[in-house]
Amino acid sequence: MKDNAEIISDPSLIYPGMVFRTVQECYIPTGDEPHYQGINSPHGWTVGFVEEGDFWANYTLFGGGGRCIVCMEQSRQEKTVLATEDWADCKQNIRNYVEEQYGNTINDLDFERYQSEQGENIYIYSYVYRFDLSDYGADNSLEIYVCSGLKLTEHSQAEFIGFAYEDGIRDYVRYVTAAYEERTSGGFSNMAISPEESWPAEGLFNSFSWIHGFHDEKLREALDIPPEGQSAGESLLDRMNDREILKEQIL
């Protein structure tokens, strides 16, 4: 209440669309090394990249236990500002998209919006992506906990997509998103996530399609399943040809 005294004169008179400043304790210590490219990682996390088939991110934070946060930075985009100005409409567009494209595959979709002490806008949404492994020849399922964060600063924007195979990734994405700082010199980094699929929330990265594609490729590789649209025979032939090429190189 005291943090929003200039907005709330009567606690009984709170309406949709009002934006409040929240204070939330966070027990995630910062990294030992200075942050890089405006990003401050949690203590003990390492930096690298991920790649599965056509799906990649060239700047990724690894927290152990299968926890990852892929990062993207670019100049502030007008379409992103327009998409998030009406956050209620943006949320509904995402909900509609999820219902139409993914149905019961997506659960516990939740949204947050708040401002930093400097007045920078931060947008968070999280969900659980459930892979039915019967599509991959197994008899169980895989739950992936996902959280996407966006921070808009004066000249830049940064997006972070975190995923893990147990709950708790949202707190780390909240921290990394809130801790992001616009660099005052040196331009923008080349931190990118690819590929990007269009969707109704234009200006925001489509985490749903990326999470699906990345883990689909990962599961197929782990279970030795041929890529979508390719028969098992074709896959075997490809592997045999690869072995012949390797043999020729050795000889």
Side-chain angles (χ1 to χ4, degrees):
M1 176 70 180
K2 65 180 181 179
D3 296 303
N4 296 280
E6 73 281 8
I7 302 173
I8 306 173
S9 57
D10 185 340
S12 300
L13 301 176
I14 298 177
Y15 303 100
M18 297 176 76
V19 179
F20 305 123
R21 182 178 297 106
T22 61
V23 177
Q24 179 176 345
E25 292 185 350
C26 182
Y27 300 97
I28 303 174
T30 61
D32 295 328
E33 299 297 326
H35 57 260
Y36 173 73
Q37 303 287 25
I39 294 178
N40 200 342
S41 64
H43 176 73
W45 285 52
T46 58
V47 176
F49 70 96
V50 292
E51 181 178 13
E52 293 290 346
D54 294 331
F55 295 82
W56 55 266
N58 62 5
Y59 191 90
T60 303
L61 304 175
F62 298 96
R67 296 192 302 266
C68 293
I69 301 176
V70 297
C71 312
M72 179 169 69
E73 182 193 40
Q74 58 186 319
S75 61
R76 182 179 169 115
Q77 304 292 305
E78 184 62 26
K79 60 184 178 181
T80 307
V81 176
L82 291 174
T84 54
E85 276 183 346
D86 190 340
W87 185 231
D89 185 61
C90 186
K91 290 190 296 184
Q92 191 58 51
N93 285 337
I94 294 175
R95 287 194 182 100
N96 292 343
Y97 170 81
V98 166
E99 185 176 349
E100 293 171 3
Q101 299 294 323
Y102 296 96
N104 294 330
T105 301
I106 303 294
N107 298 287
D108 302 329
L109 181 60
D110 188 46
F111 298 87
E112 303 173 27
R113 177 181 65 171
Y114 54 96
Q115 287 186 329
S116 68
E117 293 182 356
Q118 293 74 34
E120 297 164 330
N121 291 317
I122 298 170
Y123 304 88
I124 303 284
Y125 66 86
S126 59
Y127 55 93
V128 179
Y129 195 116
R130 182 179 179 275
F131 265 93
D132 183 356
L133 296 185
S134 64
D135 296 335
Y136 301 86
D139 58 0
N140 53 352
S141 62
L142 172 67
E143 288 191 339
I144 305 166
Y145 294 83
V146 185
C147 184
S148 180
L150 163 69
K151 185 173 185 179
L152 292 171
T153 67
E154 184 178 1
H155 301 107
S156 69
Q157 64 184 59
E159 291 185 71
F160 306 94
I161 302 172
F163 59 88
Y165 307 108
E166 58 183 27
D167 201 5
I169 192 65
R170 180 163 57 177
D171 287 338
Y172 289 99
V173 173
R174 279 187 188 133
Y175 166 74
V176 172
T177 306
Y180 168 78
E181 298 176 8
E182 176 185 321
R183 293 174 296 133
T184 56
S185 62
F188 297 101
S189 69
N190 64 346
M191 288 185 289
I193 311 170
S194 184
E196 183 170 2
E197 183 175 317
S198 62
W199 65 322
E202 187 178 3
L204 280 71
F205 189 87
N206 186 342
S207 72
F208 301 95
S209 66
W210 193 89
I211 288 292
H212 170 82
F214 179 84
H215 285 89
D216 176 72
E217 295 277 3
K218 197 169 187 177
L219 285 166
R220 289 179 183 278
E221 180 180 0
L223 300 173
D224 198 25
I225 298 173
E228 210 166 358
Q230 185 181 54
S231 71
E234 290 172 328
S235 179
L236 177 59
L237 182 60
D238 287 344
R239 291 199 298 271
M240 290 173 63
N241 287 336
D242 288 343
R243 288 178 181 273
E244 288 301 318
I245 292 171
L246 180 60
K247 181 179 179 182
E248 290 176 6
Q249 289 174 340
I250 294 174
L251 293 176

